[in-house]
Each structure stands twice: as structure tokens, then as C-alpha cells.
Amino acid sequence: MGILGKLFYFKGNGDFKRSRKYEQELNKCIRCGYCYELCPLFKSFYWESDTPRGKLLLIYGMITGEIKPTQKIVDKIFQCFYCKNCSDNCSAGVPITDILTDARADLIEQGFDVEGTIAKIDEDLCSICHICESICKYEALEVKKDKEGKEKMTVDKIECRGCGLCMAACPTGAISQKEGCEITLPELHNKVKEIIKEDKKKLIVFACNWSVFPGMQLSESPSLVKTPYGIIVSMCSGRVAPELVLDAIEEGAWGVMVAGCPPEECDHDGNYKTRRRLVLLKNVIKELGIDPKRIRLEWFSTGESAKLSKAIDDYVKELDKIGPIKKIEKRKIGG
Amino acid sequence: MKIDIEKLKKIVGKENVSDDIADLYVYASDASVHHAMPTAIVRPQTIEQVQKIMRYANSSKTPIIARGAGSGTSGHTVPIDGGIILDMKKMNRILDIRPEDMLVKVEPGVVDDDLNRALKPMGLFYPPAPASSRIATIGGEIAANASGVRSVKYGATRDYVYGMKVVLANGDLVNLGSNTRVHSSGYQLERLIVGSEGTLGIVVEATMGIRPIPKFRCLAVANFDKLEDAGNAISDIISSGCEPSMLELMDKIGIVAVNKAMNLGLKEVGAIILFEADGNVKEAVDFEIEKMKKICKKYNGKDIKKSYDLAERTKLFSGRKKLFASLSRYKEGIICTDLADDMGVPNSKIAEAAEKIHEIAERNNVIMAVYGHCGSGVIHTKIMLDSKKKSQWEDAEKVIDELYDYIHSVGGVTSAEHGIGLSKAPPWKKARSDIIPVMRKVKRALDPNNILNPHKIMDAPDNWVQATNLRYKVG
Ligand SMILES: Cc1cc2nc3c(=O)[nH]c(=O)nc-3n(C[C@H](O)[C@H](O)[C@H](O)COP(=O)(O)OP(=O)(O)OC[C@H]3O[C@@H](n4cnc5c(N)ncnc54)[C@H](O)[C@@H]3O)c2cc1C
């Protein structure tokens, strides 16, 4: 095959009318891979197809007609929490999440059904109370009528950012998300147990992926430094459901810290909900005879990892003074 | 190619094997211009698993390509003939840090920056750090003999490799090198693996040297109206015995690109050089910096700024750190391709080579930025072109031919730190026909079935455009 034969190996185009406009942007990606350094999806699955670079490659393949979308490819494209650590790290300035959103719209239009990391609603459990609808900043939840005219809560698969706020707020537990990224309630409960029972930590810190976690990952090697605390990365402080905090106390944590973005800085407006929720929770544990100091809420902006480290150290010192939660102090929570 | 997927699943577990197009298409490329799909991807987590995979590959004569972060720039991990991509990223444990011996033992998938983050609280660092250290793995760095901004003082990866566990093509595990910082006990086979680009064995563990972090680091920046002056200043700094811990160049194209990409507001002069000195005695660091400043002034260097402060140093260096990707933003309609990317030239030829590169680019209708760790003789360039036009790829071919002929004529090397892979093989083969038979003998002795990253370096095709599909849609 001559040189030019090799250059023209691309087949025809699929129907990607929104994402096709990004072809040149995708050529500007040098495929260095810096985008996945802080990608929570990559940290969960360790496949390169789960990295932003991998997703851009798949989109490029689809818009140029080199590959056809398959269910697995589409599911990969719908796995993203929009934390934008990737675009922040991309010095070629490729608008990664915009490309992803348009590709999602194209794929939905082509009739693909997807799971991805977006919210899933169990119709049998959903009582259509509308709480989730009012909580979602992206207006991704909406009651619609099905063919038989029956009302049901639906998720806009393009708009949903997978932040999990609706899951934390749903009173009937009808909303769930894909397993594997440590974001579902059972996974988070297991993680809490592992940190307290197996790793024997005193303190559990729920740190928000957006503001705190990138800085923390870059400041020390968490796996190597032995600490009296364990960190659970939550997709938003608003994702920290009350039962997770109570669970940590029940399992034997001396204290629980929730670290989120300061007011005005949360992408999902989840931090206000956290604040209200934790005030209520403190009152609840007080009723149970547990010192409300066992729960703490802290705000940190991006890049304030040093401040977070100090706040954690200070809290550990305080907890050391008051010791573990005593038997009398701790009664069985939640019946 | 037929691969026994079930067998591989038995070895590493089904969650660590894929032959799905969603993965194959992604693992078909790295940071180069190449694209070719593997047949399967396998993610081992233990040495025993690597051994079993190798035994299977050897008996079935299946190509096997080790892959770290896939940040290689020349198609090192792009499988021409399909085969198994051995993704090493899950073997990422730091096994032992021994400050008392100044050694660290790691699995190959450990990311360079992660290692440095672990060492920092102990006041230690692992110096070779390429610019890609945020994702590049130690295995990939060993296999490419990576170096970085501090290599001008601290050396390249090869200077830090002491011991190594390697799985050979037949599945045997060998312990190479030593557990000490010295050895003259037989062939230095660990050094043979350095720069072997996955063609001789799979690194499954490495014992590497580490160094104490110096107390003081001072970074300075100087502007030059002429690229030639900046190049001569660099050569003079090195030949007059200064000891920079970093000595980097950025030409005007690079400056304009980072200004556009990152809004840095740098003065768009002919060239910038960044120079750093480090040490435990501040006066000594000052002395080095002053010496280098004086040389810069001799070559009309101006606007010289210096800082000891970490935040300020990070800011001064930010443009250089992200230059490569920023080049894509230099001009509408053109993109940055990873071609002709990292030649090495003798110290005395830096200015001449930098100017020559611009001249060759201009004559052939492409744009080429000149930058890099020039203090160690590394000259980075990238060919920036309109990837949609087929004539531009022909221009790129001409540039590569002419450029490497020039580089070799002045005693330079095809690749200073990224390796040969596919894209740089044609000019390298032309220049080094003398050692190709010897390299082939070594390769055949260790890998008689030619399964380890076949068709790379000396066995790569003679035409880089035809070696694989291009990652860009042309036309
Ligand atoms: C933006 C950017 C900046 C860069 N800057 C620099 C720089 O400053 N200095 C520099 O030297 N390089 C640089 N590089 C090139 C590249 O990052 C290095 O070559 C790096 O060492 C590759 O590491 P990796 O983990 O990505 O390896 P990969 O690209 O995955 O593999 C590289 C080679 O190593 C082999 N390999 C990987 N793991 C193993 C193993 N365990 N055993 C045997 N063989 C193995 C592969 O088969 C392949 O041949 C840069 C690249 C980019 C994209």
C-alpha cells in the first residue's frame, strides 16, 4: 500500500452531528494522558478506556467512522462525574467534558440505552415525592407520563452529572448508581466498615472529589503514610447520606468529618444540603447521648489541601482528648 | 490472530482481560502519530502471572507488548501485528524505601510522581523525572531510559538502576544487577534492559537509587532577542564548568504557544532560558546562579529574574512544563504531532542546531518549535502541521529525512530520551547500520521467537508513515 493509501484508511461517518464539530479539537489532543492523573473513574477501574484520553479516542473513532458505537463503548462514554480535573490538566485546552456531553446526546439520539454513572430509579420503590427533582441543580430529574399515562420519575441521561445528591436525599432508597466506583450506599457502608474494623482508624473523613481530593492526592502518598484517619472520596459532600455518618459511629469511629467546598463554590449546590443535614444529625446524636463534637463539617477550596491536613490533625488531637465513644454514650443507633 | 482468552482469564482473572473493541481501540495508540489495534489486553498483578502469560505467549508465538502509561512518543507500545498488550499499571506497589541505603524497590507500574510523593516526607527524591512524571511509570521510564529537567546535574534513568527482576520471553525470572549501589560482578545486564523498549524482557521489579532533596533551589529566567544567543549561552554555561540543576530552552514559537494556551503573558522574545542551581549551602547556590547570569548577559540575556520561593519557581516554570501540549494552540488550523521529537546534539552545537531546525521547517512548510533540556544536549522539536492535508505529511517526511541527516552529521543522536519505537526507526537505522546486527543477535538470544514488542527499533519498518495507520483523519 502506498503512503496515501495508508493515510485514507478511515471509513464513512456515523450520525454524530453534534460531536463531529470537535474533530479538529480532538486532533489537538496530543494524547499525553495527563488528563487521567486525577480521574476518579480511572482510579476505580484502571482501564485506559475509562480515562478521559480513552473516551476522546473512542469518540474520535466514532465520529470518523472508524469504529461503530457498541453498548460497551457507549457505557464508557456515560461514565464520568464531570469533576473536570481532566480539562483543568489539559494544556492543549481540549474541552473534554463538552465533547463528552455532545457525544452523549448523539448516542442517546441513536437510540442507545445506558447505565453509565448516572442515577437509576427503581420504579417499585419510587413514591414520586419530588424531593430529588427539587434537589437536582441540573434539572435532570423530571416526572413524565409513560405510554399508559402512568407518572414516573425519569432521569435525563445527558444532563445527569452522577453527583449522587438525589441518592442521598431519596427517602425510599429508590435511586442508585453503578457499582464499582465506591459511590453506592452498600459500597460506602463497606468502605466505612473496612476503615474502622480492618484498618483500625479513629476518624473517617468524607472528602469531596471536587475541591479537596485533587490537592490531597498531589500532596502526599496516602497509601504509604500511616494515619489515624481514613479518607472516603465522595462525589460531593451532599452525597454523604446521614446513615453513612451514623454507620461510622456505630462501627466504632471516634469522629466523622465531612469536608466539602465552601458555600458558593459547590458545583452541585450540595454543600448547603450537607450543612443543614449535619446540624440535624448533631441534634439526633445528642439525643442519643453522644457528644455532637463527634461530627464535624469543614469547608475547603481547591488547593487548600494543607489547610485540610491541619484541620484533620487538629480534630484527631481533639478526639484523642475525648477518647472513643463510651458504651453509655453509644446506644444502638437506628433500632 | 487467535488468542486463547479463556486461558489468559484463568491466569489473571476475567476482570483483567479484555478483547472488547472499546479497549482494543484505546490501547491501539500512545502519544505518537501511530494507531494499530492489539488482539487482547491483559493486566497482571503478580510476577507469577507475568511468567505464566509469557510462557503462553512464547509457546503460541503471540506478540506481547508491555505498556505503562502509554505516554511514549514514538509508537513504542503500538502493536503492528496485534498481540497482547501487557498493561503493567496494576503492579504499582512501592515495595521498600531504604533511606539508610539510599535505595527504593518498586513494582514497574509505580507512577514517578507517586514515588516522589512517598519520598518527599523523608527528605528524599528520585531525580530523573521526565516532564510526563505525573503519569509515566518506572517500568516505562527504564525501558525508554527517560530523563528530565534535572538530568543535566543528576543524570538519566540509567544512572539510578541498580537491580531488577525481569521475566524473560520464555517465562524465566532473572535477578539482574545488585542490591547495592555498586557492582562489578559480571555483565551489567540490568543496563541492557534500560532503553530496550520492552523488546528484551518484562521488568517486574526495580531497585533504584534515590537522593536527598537539597536545602536550597534557585530558579532564574533570562530573555534573549535571538535564539542563537540563547543557544550559545547554554553551551557556554556547560563548557565553563557551571553546575546547573536545570538548564532549559524555549524558543519564540513555544513562548507564543504557552501564552495562547495558558494566558501566561510571557514576553514574546526570540528565546527564554531557565536555569536552576541547588545545594545545601545558600552561598554556593548563589554563586552558581550569579556565574550563569553573567554568561547570559555576555550573550545579551536580559530581564533576568530569580527566585528561591517554591510558588514563584513553579510559576516561572509553568510555561516550560506544559509546553508540549500547548503547541497545539500555536495557530488555528495546525496541530502538534509527535514527530522528530528529541534529538541529542553535542554541547557545542546547540545554537547551530536550533537555528537549522527552524530553517528546515520553514523551507518545508511546517512549523517546528525548539525547546528542551538543552543543558544536557537534548533538543525537543515537534512538527506542527495541518493534519488534514496529505501534502503536509509528505512535508513532514522530507523534514525528518533532512533534519536527522543534519543531526547525525554533527555527531548527534536520533533520540536523547524518548526512544526509537516506530517513528524514529527509519533515520536511526540509516545512521546506525553498524550496530543493528549486534542488536539483533542480542534480541534473538533472549527472545528467539521474537514475541517481545516485535517490529520496533532495529526491526521497525523503513517508512514511519506506512508502519501503521495514522491516528489522524487525513483529507
Ligand atoms: C507530554 C509528554 C512529555 C514527556 N516528557 C518527557 C521527558 O521530559 N523526558 C523523557 O525522557 N520522556 C518524556 N516523555 C516520553 C515518555 O513519557 C517517557 O518515555 C516515559 O518513560 C514513558 O513511560 P510510560 O509509563 O508511559 O511507558 P509506555 O509509553 O507505556 O512504554 C514505553 C516503553 O516502555 C516499555 N515498557 C513499559 N513498561 C515496561 C515494563 N514493565 N517492562 C519492560 N518494558 C516496559 C514499553 O513496551 C515501551 O516500549 C514525554 C511524553 C509526553 C507525552
Side-chain angles (χ1 to χ4, degrees), chain A residues 1 3 7-10 23 25 28-29 32 34 45-49 53 60 66 89 92 217 224, chain B residues 23 25 27 43 67 69-70 89 92 117-118 131 135 328-329 334 388 397 466 470-471 473-474:
Chain A
M1 195 186 301
I3 294 176
L7 293 173
F8 286 109
Y9 73 105
F10 285 89
E23 190 184 319
E25 282 301 319
K28 290 206 180 256
C29 162
C32 61
Y34 290 7
F45 299 119
Y46 266 79
W47 283 107
E48 285 195 32
S49 47
R53 173 175 72 175
Y60 191 73
E66 243 232 316
N89 257 341
Q217 280 193 75
L224 278 165
Chain B
D23 293 307
Y25 192 77
Y27 283 81
R43 307 187 300 175
R67 179 172 171 116
K89 283 190 282 299
N92 63 351
R117 274 192 283 276
I135 55 155
S328 274
R329 293 283 150 201
I334 63 129
K388 297 205 135 285
E397 283 200 282
Q466 291 189 43
L470 287 177
R471 59 160 275 203
K473 182 183 172 188
V474 185

Side-chain angles (χ1 to χ4, degrees), chain A residues 115-176:
Chain A
E115 185 190 7
T117 44
I118 56 191
K120 264 192 309 201
I121 296 176
D122 183 334
E123 282 175 42
D124 293 339
L125 293 176
C126 176
S127 58
I128 318 191
C129 65
H130 295 268
I131 290 178
C132 56
E133 204 179 348
S134 63
I135 259 177
C136 179
K137 185 183 162 183
Y138 307 100
E139 300 180 358
L141 290 140
E142 195 189 347
V143 176
K144 283 189 182 156
K145 285 199 174 133
D146 65 12
K147 278 183 206 136
E148 282 97 51
K150 200 176 136 213
E151 285 202 326
K152 60 182 205 180
M153 188 58 76
T154 59
V155 181
D156 183 327
K157 292 175 174 169
I158 300 159
E159 292 304 327
C160 176
R161 297 290 187 258
C163 64
L165 253 66
C166 54
M167 271 196 296
C170 177
T172 60
I175 311 181
S176 61

